[in-house]
Amino acid sequence: NAGVTQTPKFQVLKTGQSMTLQCAQDMNHEYMSWYRQDPGMGLRLIHYSVGAGITDQGEVPNGYNVSRSTTEDFPLRLLSAAPSQTSVYFCASSQGLEQFFGPGTRLTVL
Amino acid sequence: LAKTTQPISMDSYEGQEVNITCSHNNIATNDYITWYQQFPSQGPRFIIQGYKTKVTNEVASLFIPADRKSSTLSLPRVSLSDTAVYYCLVGDIRDTGKLIFGQGTTLQVKP
């Protein structure tokens, strides 16, 4: 099993551009989440999903959209990138009480 | 979701036992206590989880008093490779679909 995969690993955007961060898991997990981590800070929950077709907002959802059309995929869309969205983004999945995290996407918005 | 409070940072030396305490006064009846470890530039990794009393695995022990308002992660005989950030989380993702991370404790192990 590949576990949780994220693409791309690195991305540089200009202010106002849009993009999609990809997240996929091959463990058939129901629960998936997106977090962002700013330098020296803990992880903050952006959006989460409890199953295909169901998503909800976390602590910091503004500027981000998600969808969950399949169990495996949970893409995160930045609608109009801003410098404040410069961060490392982690995707996670779980079935029971343990969350499995992807390797992260490092995003810089200029 | 219950709020957690941990020390921001701790220092230790190789070979020592390290205890990191987390306070969670508002823990709910159904909540579990989970600890994650995060190395720089990596995603967090599950260490241990418990509901009450004591849990031990090959990496750590977790002590939870009867009132469950705090918990202590114990790392026996730490090495330099245990230098990381440790997060205490309280909740049950099966109930709410989400877990909230706090600031975590940065553990620095010195030679």
Side-chain angles (χ1 to χ4, degrees):
Chain A
N1 286 349
V4 180
T5 57
Q6 293 184 236
T7 55
K9 284 186 170 21
F10 301 94
Q11 182 70 50
V12 179
L13 292 178
K14 294 181 180 177
T15 297
Q17 287 185 316
S18 62
M19 79 159 294
T20 299
L21 307 185
Q22 302 291 345
C23 174
Q25 52 94 6
D26 61 359
M27 298 172 281
N28 202 33
H29 286 172
E30 286 185 59
Y31 306 105
M32 296 188 74
S33 301
W34 275 104
Y35 295 88
R36 61 176 285 176
Q37 185 172 36
D38 299 332
M41 306 287 287
L43 286 78
R44 291 186 291 171
L45 182 66
I46 305 172
H47 285 284
Y48 64 100
S49 169
V50 300
I54 307 170
T55 64
D56 206 344
Q57 296 181 348
E59 303 170 273
V60 288
N62 291 344
Y64 307 95
N65 273 358
V66 292
S67 59
R68 184 97 180 269
S69 56
T70 67
T71 299
E72 294 78 19
D73 300 300
F74 191 39
L76 178 72
R77 296 183 190 84
L78 278 70
L79 308 173
S80 176
S84 60
Q85 293 179 304
T86 293
S87 191
V88 180
Y89 291 83
F90 290 104
C91 177
S93 76
S94 91
Q95 186 64 28
L97 292 166
E98 177 182 349
Q99 278 191 302
F100 295 84
F101 285 81
T105 293
R106 187 174 296 273
L107 175 68
T108 302
V109 183
L110 302 175
Chain B
L1 294 174
K3 179 178 165 60
T4 60
T5 303
Q6 307 173 230
I8 296 293
S9 64
M10 294 180 70
D11 288 339
S12 182
Y13 291 93
E14 283 191 290
Q16 288 188 332
E17 178 184 72
V18 171
N19 295 312
I20 307 175
T21 296
C22 178
S23 171
H24 29 80
N25 290 323
N26 296 326
I27 189 168
T29 303
N30 294 338
D31 286 344
Y32 284 77
I33 300 156
T34 311
W35 286 80
Y36 286 82
Q37 176 190 55
Q38 186 181 27
F39 297 114
S41 302
Q42 294 185 25
R45 184 176 69 116
F46 172 89
I47 302 176
I48 198 166
Q49 182 176 74
Y51 183 80
K52 61 180 179 181
T53 62
K54 177 183 173 182
V55 180
T56 298
N57 61 22
E58 64 277 5
V59 176
S61 294
L62 179 59
F63 298 92
I64 305 169
D67 66 6
R68 302 198 331 121
K69 293 187 176 183
S70 66
S71 59
T72 299
L73 174 73
S74 180
L75 304 172
R77 298 179 301 281
V78 294
S79 64
L80 296 177
S81 63
D82 292 315
T83 293
V85 180
Y86 292 84
Y87 295 96
C88 162
L89 282 75
V90 171
D92 188 339
I93 199 168
R94 299 168 303 181
D95 275 349
T96 63
K98 62 183 180 182
L99 284 178
I100 302 296
F101 279 75
Q103 285 281 76
T105 298
T106 299
L107 173 65
Q108 180 72 49
V109 180
K110 303 175 182 178

